[in-house]
Amino acid sequence: MKKIILILVLFVSYFCYSQEDAWVYFKDKPNSQYYFDNPLQMLSQRALDRRITQNIPLDLIDIPIHQAYIEQITATAGITVKAKSKWLNCLHIRGSQVDIQALSLLSFVDHVSFANRTLNVGRRFSNSTFNPFNKVLETQVTYNYGTSANQIQMLNGHLLHQQNYTGTGKTIAVLDAGFPDVDVAQPFQRLRDNNQILGGYNFVDRSSNFYAMNIHGTLVLSTMGGYTNNQLVGTAPDASYYLFVTEDSSSENPLEESLWVEAAEMADNLGVDVINTSLGYFGYDNPNYSHTYTDMNGISAFSSRGANVAFSRGMIVVVSAGNSGNSTNVHIGAPADAIKALTVGAVDSARNYASFSSIGPSFDGRVKPDVMAQGLNAVLSYPSGTISTNSGTSFSGPIIAGMVASFWQAFPTFTNTQIVQFIKESSDHFTNPNPQYGYGIPNFQLALTNAFSSMEFNSDLISVYPNPVKDLVYFSIPTIGSSKEISIYNSLGQMVINQSSLNQIQNISLQPLESGIYFYKIALANGTKIGKIIKE
């Protein structure tokens, strides 16, 4: 009897005090109006400019978590705050099951969701389990030196480079496991000399040392921004980059999904255009935390939800499909399943499907992967500066991400939705996608041609005068579409005037506005023109 009592005591003790991961979600954001009135307190001017270009209004998702909520949860005994997400209005926390459940009693808490979903009251889950896997090192290393010509030419990316579309003016955030020696290795010298590495952050260690940890991010970055003459030219050599460490390669824990979303939010704040991530989430060290294929519906996994929000903010999220094609679990993980992610699988140098590349469809039947690029024996740089090859969708993903930035450079006023659609439509299997190949290999020259063809007006024919202006400003617009919408924005990205017109010449009074610089956006049926107006 004493032994039984002891076992029961130990069981109860373990149940009450073992550490669990969970998210605590809040009901509201009480100070939202302050941030709507002061948008630069939550987003950079570059981020606001991206919103203006794509006509994306600010909303509650942009508002930071109420600080008082963070402070109260942080001060709660037995609870450790590990990460936060303003987009999803929640904190990633760690504590005992009892302490975490007690948070649901707080008046401002909407609900608590355990990473171990069997602990969530009223929800039923599959008992299927999967072995955890190393997300960033499932690659096949070879040491065959060569040039990177094939992986660019396969996409007709070299034709964009010849037209000087090399990523200039676009910013890519790389979310990965570490970037050792990017600050010293020769293939990144050009990025350093031109100040194209804008900064970064190590979310795992909560430090500014992002030139550390796993080499995976260094390899990934080299396929986009690396440059060694006659050996390696990345797909976006003139783009700018932020380097974010979100992956702890020594363990597999759902916290990494929260860190991923936190980094994506920072990318949004900094005005990033493209997010590249060669990370995937499916199995965890604790199998109770692991995802199942039923979760791959584009909206369930925490990182997938974050990827969808990132797209809604105007960014393009490029995600590697995963390297599970030869395993018992062949399907894509998260956030590759995200509805709005541009998911990339791998082919070999001859355009054939690479057997390790994870396949689709998503659990809800959507086409995944979206597109393909060379991932078998991709040419890249190691931290030593040695140019070699490596295999995995970890590299087909960033090869595409760099091309996305270079392509978008040609059409800076296009929305992320338009850019992604042109890329998909240029792919060689667009009319007959399949679970291994998705829509196929993009032809970026074809995408460029189609995009230019879609612009049925010459923006140079649109005139705005006088500029500077004291009162009435006139917009002379050729009769191109049936309707014309003219919007005026202040320097904070807030719309201050909006008018629709069928007239060829439309005048708008700026008399009520204070002196300063404003932006106009003319939206037509087949194109957009953006410019500045100086109000005297």
Side-chain angles (χ1 to χ4, degrees):
M1 178 61 73
K2 290 182 179 179
K3 289 183 179 180
I4 294 175
I5 292 174
L6 177 60
I7 291 173
L8 288 173
V9 169
L10 291 174
F11 177 80
V12 172
S13 177
Y14 176 81
F15 177 81
C16 293
Y17 299 107
S18 63
Q19 297 291 289
E20 296 286 347
D21 279 60
W23 294 271
V24 55
Y25 291 84
F26 303 120
K27 293 180 178 179
D28 56 8
K29 293 180 175 180
N31 290 343
S32 58
Q33 192 57 50
Y34 168 79
Y35 289 100
F36 286 135
D37 294 338
N38 301 277
L40 283 172
Q41 295 297 311
M42 59 180 177
L43 293 170
S44 68
Q45 186 60 59
R46 181 180 171 91
L48 294 172
D49 291 344
R50 186 186 64 221
R51 297 295 192 87
I52 293 172
T53 300
Q54 301 188 54
N55 197 26
I56 300 173
L58 300 176
D59 58 25
L60 277 175
I61 291 175
D62 299 305
I63 307 300
I65 300 172
H66 188 45
Q67 186 59 33
Y69 295 169
I70 298 175
E71 292 172 358
Q72 187 162 342
I73 299 298
T74 303
T76 301
I79 298 296
T80 302
V81 175
K82 305 297 292 184
K84 61 184 178 180
S85 170
K86 70 172 185 179
W87 286 349
L88 303 177
N89 200 20
C90 68
L91 301 177
H92 186 121
I93 58 175
R94 190 167 292 165
S96 71
Q97 180 181 345
V98 171
D99 288 339
I100 291 173
Q101 287 175 328
L103 297 178
S104 62
L105 300 177
L106 296 173
S107 61
F108 55 87
V109 170
D110 184 76
H111 68 282
V112 170
S113 179
F114 284 91
N116 179 357
R117 290 166 296 172
T118 62
L119 302 179
N120 292 321
V121 177
R123 297 186 65 183
R124 299 176 63 185
F125 300 95
S126 168
N127 292 323
S128 300
T129 59
F130 295 87
N131 293 327
F133 58 93
N134 190 324
K135 299 181 286 300
V136 300
L137 296 180
E138 282 191 346
T139 52
Q140 303 164 351
V141 179
T142 61
Y143 296 95
N144 298 321
Y145 290 86
T147 69
S148 57
N150 190 75
Q151 62 200 39
I152 298 176
Q153 291 174 354
M154 179 185 296
L155 306 168
N156 271 341
H158 64 298
L159 300 180
L160 266 66
H161 287 187
Q162 291 170 14
Q163 298 168 75
N164 291 320
Y165 300 128
T166 54
T168 302
K170 290 299 177 182
T171 302
I172 301 173
V174 188
L175 279 57
D176 218 286
F179 305 90
D181 295 325
V182 168
D183 54 338
V184 295
Q186 182 280 324
F188 305 101
Q189 183 69 43
R190 190 169 179 272
L191 291 182
R192 298 193 300 269
D193 289 348
N194 295 327
N195 298 314
Q196 291 169 244
I197 299 177
L198 302 181
Y201 188 70
N202 185 334
F203 287 86
V204 174
D205 289 344
R206 296 293 176 184
S207 77
S208 59
N209 182 19
F210 50 89
Y211 294 126
M213 301 182 74
N214 193 281
I215 70 170
H216 189 264
T218 301
L219 276 59
V220 165
L221 176 64
S222 71
T223 66
M224 294 179 281
Y227 187 91
T228 299
N229 193 36
N230 292 324
Q231 294 187 65
L232 171 65
V233 178
T235 48
D238 292 319
S240 297
Y241 295 88
Y242 284 102
L243 310 181
F244 295 139
V245 180
T246 66
E247 174 68 22
D248 183 355
S249 57
S250 66
S251 65
E252 306 298 337
N253 187 279
L255 172 60
E256 291 161 328
E257 292 196 55
S258 294
L259 298 181
W260 190 98
V261 174
E262 198 170 343
E265 292 180 9
M266 181 176 286
D268 176 36
N269 184 16
L270 293 167
V272 162
D273 302 295
V274 178
I275 291 176
N276 175 80
T277 185
S278 294
L279 305 171
Y281 306 100
F282 204 102
Y284 289 115
D285 293 341
N286 182 343
N288 290 324
Y289 294 164
S290 295
H291 294 298
T292 66
Y293 180 46
T294 58
D295 298 324
M296 299 301 111
N297 57 15
I299 57 173
S300 289
F302 196 82
S303 57
S304 300
R305 292 159 61 196
N308 291 331
V309 176
F311 189 88
S312 75
R313 307 298 95 178
M315 295 179 283
I316 294 176
V317 184
V318 181
V319 184
S320 296
N323 304 319
S324 301
N326 289 324
S327 72
T328 56
N329 172 38
V330 298
H331 291 104
I332 56 170
D337 73 308
I339 293 173
K340 296 299 185 179
L342 184 64
T343 303
V344 186
V347 297
D348 63 18
S349 60
R351 305 172 69 95
N352 299 310
Y353 165 73
S355 62
F356 59 78
S357 184
S358 297
I359 69 172
S362 62
F363 183 74
D364 55 319
R366 287 173 292 111
V367 172
K368 290 290 178 181
D370 295 288
V371 295
M372 308 292 280
Q374 184 172 341
L376 182 64
N377 294 328
V379 178
L380 43 75
S381 173
Y382 280 81
S384 63
T386 299
I387 307 302
S388 185
T389 59
N390 208 316
S391 298
T393 61
S394 289
F395 312 118
S396 58
I399 286 171
I400 287 290
M403 286 312 311
V404 170
S406 295
F407 175 59
W408 207 351
Q409 176 195 343
F411 306 97
T413 63
F414 278 23
T415 66
N416 57 352
T417 299
Q418 290 174 301
I419 293 296
V420 168
Q421 190 62 28
F422 278 117
I423 292 170
K424 288 180 180 179
E425 290 178 359
S426 77
S427 300
D428 60 358
H429 278 52
F430 180 69
T431 58
N432 59 331
N434 64 57
Q436 289 78 30
Y437 215 70
Y439 293 114
I441 300 171
N443 179 340
F444 279 89
Q445 179 57 49
L446 177 60
L448 191 78
T449 300
N450 290 342
F452 275 126
S453 297
S454 74
M455 301 172 67
E456 298 177 357
F457 73 100
N458 183 349
S459 62
D460 292 336
L461 298 178
I462 299 175
S463 56
V464 180
Y465 59 91
N467 194 5
V469 59
K470 292 183 178 180
D471 184 2
L472 288 178
V473 59
Y474 293 84
F475 296 85
S476 178
I477 308 170
T479 306
I480 302 164
S482 59
S483 64
K484 309 167 182 65
E485 185 175 46
I486 303 172
S487 303
I488 308 292
Y489 300 84
N490 62 22
S491 61
L492 298 178
Q494 298 167 318
M495 183 187 295
V496 292
I497 295 175
N498 178 259
Q499 289 189 16
S500 296
S501 174
L502 297 175
N503 300 323
Q504 187 170 349
I505 297 179
Q506 174 74 18
N507 65 71
I508 295 177
S509 174
L510 303 188
Q511 195 276 332
L513 302 181
E514 296 181 357
S515 299
I517 297 176
Y518 294 83
F519 297 88
Y520 67 82
K521 180 177 180 179
I522 303 171
L524 307 174
N526 298 305
T528 300
K529 180 171 182 177
I530 295 174
K532 292 182 180 180
I533 300 176
I534 299 175
K535 168 64 166 56
E536 293 181 333

